[in-house]
Amino acid sequence: LWLGAVLTDLELESDPMVDYNFCDNCNLCIASCPSLAIDGKGNIDQKACRRTCYVVTKGVLDLKCWKCREVCPHRFGFKR
């Protein structure tokens, strides 16, 4: 299940802004991307990613590529 948005009328406090460098320039995701959709600045070309990574089978959207996530050293969480 992927949520694109959650609508509510609750008063919610936002999380603080990140104050650390999460990726530390490891570039494993950039090197592993088969569609070359990730640039060196952390920008993702969504159209290039979708063309390579998603397939529709019998009307169901299926993700066939997780390479950027598979190689990320923080895929199971980030500890500072």
Side-chain angles (χ1 to χ4, degrees):
L1 173 66
W2 292 357
L3 296 178
V6 176
L7 302 177
T8 181
D9 59 358
L10 292 174
E11 291 288 329
L12 301 173
E13 185 177 331
S14 63
D15 293 334
M17 295 294 288
V18 173
D19 63 350
Y20 53 86
N21 184 350
F22 184 82
C23 293
D24 201 26
N25 298 317
C26 81
N27 297 327
L28 291 172
C29 58
I30 296 169
S32 70
C33 182
S35 62
L36 306 174
I38 308 170
D39 69 14
K41 298 175 187 172
N43 300 311
I44 299 174
D45 179 344
Q46 294 291 328
K47 287 182 182 179
C49 180
R50 281 189 216 110
R51 276 193 304 270
T52 302
C53 300
Y54 294 92
V55 64
V56 176
T57 307
K58 296 181 182 176
V60 177
L61 182 66
D62 190 20
L63 185 62
K64 67 177 184 174
C65 177
W66 284 92
K67 293 190 185 341
C68 59
R69 293 171 177 94
E70 289 170 354
V71 300
C72 181
H74 304 299
R75 67 187 171 275
F76 299 118
F78 180 73
K79 296 179 182 141
R80 292 196 281 169

